[in-house]
Amino acid sequence: MSSRLDHIAQKRREKLDRIRKRGIDPYPHRYHRSHTTEQAIALLEQCEAGGKETPLVSVGGRITASRLMGKISFLDLRDGSGKIQLLFSQGRLDKQQGELFDDLDIGDIIGVSGRPFRTKSREPTIEVEGLTLLAKSLQPLPEKWHGLSDVDKRYRQRYLDLIANAEVRKIFRVRSQAITAIRSFLNKRGFLEVETPVLQPAAGGALARPFVTHHHALDQDFYLRIATELHLKRLIVGGFDKVYELGRIFRNEGVSTKHNPEFTTLESYEAYADYNDVMKMVEKMVGSVARLVAGGYGVEFGNTTIDFKPPWPRLSLRQAVKKYSGIDFEQYPDTDSLRAEMVRLKMEVDPKKRRGRLIDELISTFVEPKLIQPTFLLDYPLEMSPLAKAKPDDGRLVERFEAFAGGMEIANAFTELNDPIEQRQRFLQQQKERRAGDEEVETADEDFLAALEYGMPPTGGLGVGIDRLVMLFTGGQSIREVILFPQLREKP
RNA sequence: GGGCCGCUAGCUCAACUGGCAGAGCAGCUGACUCUUAAUCAGCAGGUUACAGGUUCGACUCCUGUGCGGCUCACCA
């Protein structure tokens, strides 16, 4: 990027000056269109069906292509709804508009009025009678045929990506529809949408390194939330029986095709429910999202079809790990024996990891990649789940499930631990482990513990990674493809 | 953070073993009254990411830096 303008931008500035000199405002305040391009085409079809003449319409949008043929010219005009062809005929426009037409470029935003009709090749077209410049574009757009493919540029200048690449526009429409579908599903079931703090004195509810920031007036450090869990459960204590939050959380960790430092989660909590109820809700909810954005339970992913039709298979975690890795972790009740077995299988094992984290590694290495069709894994070891309630018949396991699809974890849920004394002990146990070397453990949240002491009803909680869910629905191989402005290193 | 790969015109891409940096689109000039990746003729457009080095000569080889991609580590 040199400071000097390239010759294309130079030319466009000259055109801008010419337009201004003729007394035309190249950036007027408003333009009231009568139709979107989509509506204009629908109107044309209606009139054709009814054998009626088409009325005058006005549309606005960006010029995306031009085919100048001497006395007549065809331009493509795109707005948020779609695209329509424009026909400019010499003689149709007055002198001033004719001069303006000559100074138009691909990329300019214009408004036109005229009657829709069909050309010889049946293309819906507006024969332009009135032309208004709405915004002069000073920079050339990416190439019309190949679009924009430089990944760096696509993410940094997402607007160009959206202008140039229809598939990208599609992805973010699907994302929006999926989130709308989730809201609507939960609202219909009586859930209350709430907002909880992003800035917290301690970041709890998950195991992750937080971002730190500083509040000047309070002269106090704050952490950006790594989960919404602990505040939502306070609201269950407060008497809202069904709450959810769709919100951004922040984790100061590695960036990869599956991790962005800020990402979106859904967390929901339902009083008087347990993880079995939540399981039923998840498969129903994701199924309903699939039907809405994909038109059915089947969603194309890679070279297979994922079928989200409920019910999804349920498999105990122990069975799953045994099936895919050959290790029955129940036979290795402590960290050392399990680690020894993993080493025997030639796995590289971080010596700092304790049993829970080792089992987690078995899941992500052997199990997760195999779970393409939606599957629930249930009943996790207690040491991996400090906020979940133990199973009544086996104190080493908790009532927890994770849902997988497309080889990714898409949901995590459990019957919430609501015994304040046990919760405190679990936090203390975690802190012991922190001292033993495992850095990322739950920090005790005294205010949360105080809330539990007032009594929280039995509750089923859920967390869903929205970005990964959207990846499933759009076939995305990278989380950056479903986040409009993914985090990138700043360019010097 | 490690490994591998990439960075050439506004965009998409070429350029052999080190030998004058090139094409399409976009742009400019001209022709053209139904095109739609319009067509045809002509013109212009470059710090080959950046900084060094080797060489008679570097887009090409070497070293370093920046940014990106993939991957491993990390990451419920």
Side-chain angles (χ1 to χ4, degrees), chain A residues 8 12 41 51-52 54 59 119 132 213 220 321-322 325 400 402 419 443:
Chain A
I8 296 178
R12 291 194 174 200
I41 291 169
K52 286 187 288 192
T54 51
V59 296
T119 61
T132 311
T213 188
Q220 181 189 339
V321 171
K322 203 166 150 186
S325 76
R400 171 181 175 188
E402 292 188 310
D419 175 341
T443 47

Side-chain angles (χ1 to χ4, degrees), chain A residues 292-357:
Chain A
L292 205 115
V293 304
Y297 288 119
V299 173
E300 298 300 316
F301 190 78
N303 41 21
T304 57
T305 302
I306 300 179
D307 182 5
F308 286 103
K309 187 173 172 25
W312 302 348
R314 281 125 166 99
L315 191 62
S316 84
L317 177 68
R318 180 184 174 187
Q319 288 169 340
V321 171
K322 203 166 150 186
K323 177 173 172 188
Y324 294 107
S325 76
I327 296 179
D328 180 1
F329 57 74
E330 291 291 316
Q331 289 180 13
Y332 307 96
D334 57 85
T335 305
D336 289 339
S337 61
L338 182 58
R339 185 189 294 126
E341 178 62 10
M342 287 168 70
V343 168
R344 203 180 64 77
L345 290 176
K346 304 229 181 333
M347 291 184 69
E348 278 183 34
V349 183
D350 183 344
K352 286 205 297 263
K353 281 186 176 170
R354 299 184 62 82
R355 184 167 179 269
R357 307 281 298 244

Side-chain angles (χ1 to χ4, degrees), chain A residues 215-491:
Chain A
H215 190 288
H216 292 294
L218 298 178
D219 189 23
Q220 181 189 339
D221 283 343
F222 280 91
Y223 298 90
L224 272 57
R225 67 182 178 191
I226 57 173
T228 49
E229 172 148 4
L230 300 184
H231 281 89
L232 292 176
K233 283 197 257 192
R234 285 168 168 88
L235 296 177
I236 295 289
V237 171
F240 288 139
D241 288 344
K242 296 179 180 182
V243 293
Y244 74 96
E245 178 162 12
L246 264 164
R248 203 77 58 85
I249 66 174
F250 307 84
R251 294 187 182 179
N252 199 346
E253 285 165 354
V255 179
S256 78
T257 46
K258 291 204 171 84
H259 304 263
N260 195 61
E262 48 182 302
F263 60 104
T264 302
T265 59
L266 163 72
E267 283 196 39
S268 75
Y269 293 84
E270 178 173 359
Y272 313 108
D274 71 0
Y275 78 144
N276 287 304
D277 302 310
V278 177
M279 226 178 297
K280 283 181 208 137
M281 184 178 91
V282 167
E283 60 193 0
K284 211 172 159 189
M285 178 171 78
V286 175
S288 81
V289 173
R291 276 193 299 174
L292 205 115
V293 304
Y297 288 119
V299 173
E300 298 300 316
F301 190 78
N303 41 21
T304 57
T305 302
I306 300 179
D307 182 5
F308 286 103
K309 187 173 172 25
W312 302 348
R314 281 125 166 99
L315 191 62
S316 84
L317 177 68
R318 180 184 174 187
Q319 288 169 340
V321 171
K322 203 166 150 186
K323 177 173 172 188
Y324 294 107
S325 76
I327 296 179
D328 180 1
F329 57 74
E330 291 291 316
Q331 289 180 13
Y332 307 96
D334 57 85
T335 305
D336 289 339
S337 61
L338 182 58
R339 185 189 294 126
E341 178 62 10
M342 287 168 70
V343 168
R344 203 180 64 77
L345 290 176
K346 304 229 181 333
M347 291 184 69
E348 278 183 34
V349 183
D350 183 344
K352 286 205 297 263
K353 281 186 176 170
R354 299 184 62 82
R355 184 167 179 269
R357 307 281 298 244
L358 292 179
I359 292 172
D360 202 42
E361 188 164 329
L362 290 174
I363 300 170
S364 51
T365 305
F366 295 107
V367 183
E368 190 167 341
K370 295 284 170 38
L371 300 180
I372 305 303
Q373 293 301 324
T375 308
F376 289 118
L377 297 189
L378 24 153
D379 300 340
Y380 282 60
L382 182 135
E383 60 263 47
M384 300 172 66
S385 318
L387 298 162
K389 200 174 218 172
K391 286 179 75 76
D393 56 346
D394 186 348
R396 293 168 308 162
L397 296 178
V398 293
E399 290 195 345
R400 171 181 175 188
F401 73 81
E402 292 188 310
F404 296 85
M408 288 187 286
E409 179 203 329
I410 56 171
N412 176 30
F414 31 87
T415 304
E416 302 295 333
L417 177 57
N418 63 342
D419 175 341
I421 294 169
E422 189 184 347
Q423 182 67 79
R424 179 177 297 277
Q425 280 167 352
R426 298 265 201 106
F427 281 150
L428 289 175
Q429 179 61 33
Q430 287 265 313
Q431 280 171 336
K432 258 205 249 162
E433 289 181 15
R434 163 173 278 185
R435 279 193 288 276
D438 198 341
E439 271 305 306
E440 284 161 9
V441 296
E442 202 80 33
T443 47
D445 183 331
E446 286 299 332
D447 191 60
F448 170 67
L449 288 170
L452 284 191
E453 292 196 5
Y454 286 91
M456 182 173 86
T459 297
L462 167 69
V464 178
I466 297 297
D467 308 274
R468 291 183 186 178
L469 193 64
V470 174
M471 285 167 73
L472 282 181
F473 288 127
T474 57
Q477 296 302 304
S478 167
I479 198 168
R480 294 180 206 109
E481 294 296 342
V482 302
I483 292 175
L484 278 167
F485 298 100
Q487 209 63 53
L488 297 178
R489 203 182 291 271
E490 192 180 12
K491 278 247 161 141

Side-chain angles (χ1 to χ4, degrees), chain A residues 35-53:
Chain A
H35 293 72
T36 64
T37 57
E38 188 182 37
Q39 290 165 342
I41 291 169
L43 177 72
L44 174 65
E45 282 163 358
Q46 277 167 28
C47 291
E48 286 169 338
K52 286 187 288 192
E53 225 174 273

